[in-house]
Each structure stands twice: as structure tokens, then as C-alpha cells.
Amino acid sequence: MPVSDRAVQLRKGVLELGILAVLDRQECYAIEIIERLGAYPALAATPGTVYPLLARLDKAGLVATRWAESSGGPPRKYYRLTKEGRASLSEGAVAWIALSSAMTKILAGE
């Protein structure tokens, strides 16, 4: 598997957790989420990746949405975590820390 394909596969599962973490700080509209993820090059994502993830999170009840007027264009759809979303973030964070720690050790040859 080429390195770029491997990175894509690894990122798929991580982006959902990253979106939940962004929304844990404050509600955002999709482009804000994309920009915040983009501050970390390994998490940079396109709208074509983020919008389907947001739709899936909404359908699963992990995020709630609201429409708000925008001063510079059409109304924006804002996303925020639900109680279930916060629980999912907490579970995901624990799993990520354990997985990351284990991989760091095994890659270091411990």
C-alpha cells in the first residue's frame, strides 16, 4: 500500500474524533470545522470529506444543528455536540490515547 493510501486510511477513523473535539469547544459551521482541522496538516480535510461525516454524526444523534443568518451571505448551518456526542468524544479520546501510546511504544521497539 503506498504511503499516501495508508495515510488516507488512518485518517478516516481519526477525522470523526477530530470533528467531535472541535465541536466540544464551541459550535461551528462546516467551513470553520474544516479550517480548524486544517490547522493540523495531518487532519486537513476537504468539504467532500467533512460534509458526509457531519451528516453521519447528525443521523447518529452525536451532533445537533441549527440554521443562523450570516452577515456575508446565505444562512449557515451550525453544528454542536449533543450529550451523546460528548460521551462518544470521551470514549474515543480514551481509545485514541491507549492506541496512540501502544503504537508509539511498538514503533520505538519497546
Side-chain angles (χ1 to χ4, degrees):
M1 176 182 298
V3 174
S4 61
D5 289 346
R6 184 175 311 277
V8 168
Q9 292 301 315
L10 288 171
R11 283 174 15 97
K12 280 185 179 181
V14 174
L15 279 176
E16 185 174 302
L17 184 60
I19 290 170
L20 293 174
V22 166
L23 294 175
D24 190 43
R25 289 161 185 81
Q26 70 182 68
E27 72 173 7
C28 298
Y29 58 96
I31 297 301
E32 285 179 315
I33 294 168
I34 292 165
E35 289 171 353
R36 290 179 188 189
L37 290 172
Y40 307 92
L43 296 177
T46 64
T49 299
V50 172
Y51 280 106
L53 283 172
L54 288 169
R56 190 168 73 221
L57 292 170
D58 188 20
K59 186 175 182 180
L62 301 180
V63 300
T65 63
R66 72 174 178 91
W67 287 95
E69 291 298 322
S70 168
S71 60
R76 293 178 175 159
K77 189 176 191 178
Y78 283 83
Y79 297 85
R80 67 184 178 284
L81 286 186
T82 61
K83 180 180 172 185
E84 294 80 7
R86 280 192 177 24
S88 180
L89 172 60
S90 180
E91 291 171 11
V94 168
W96 174 256
I97 290 166
L99 179 63
S100 175
S101 174
M103 284 305 298
T104 298
K105 288 176 183 176
I106 200 165
L107 289 171
E110 292 182 25

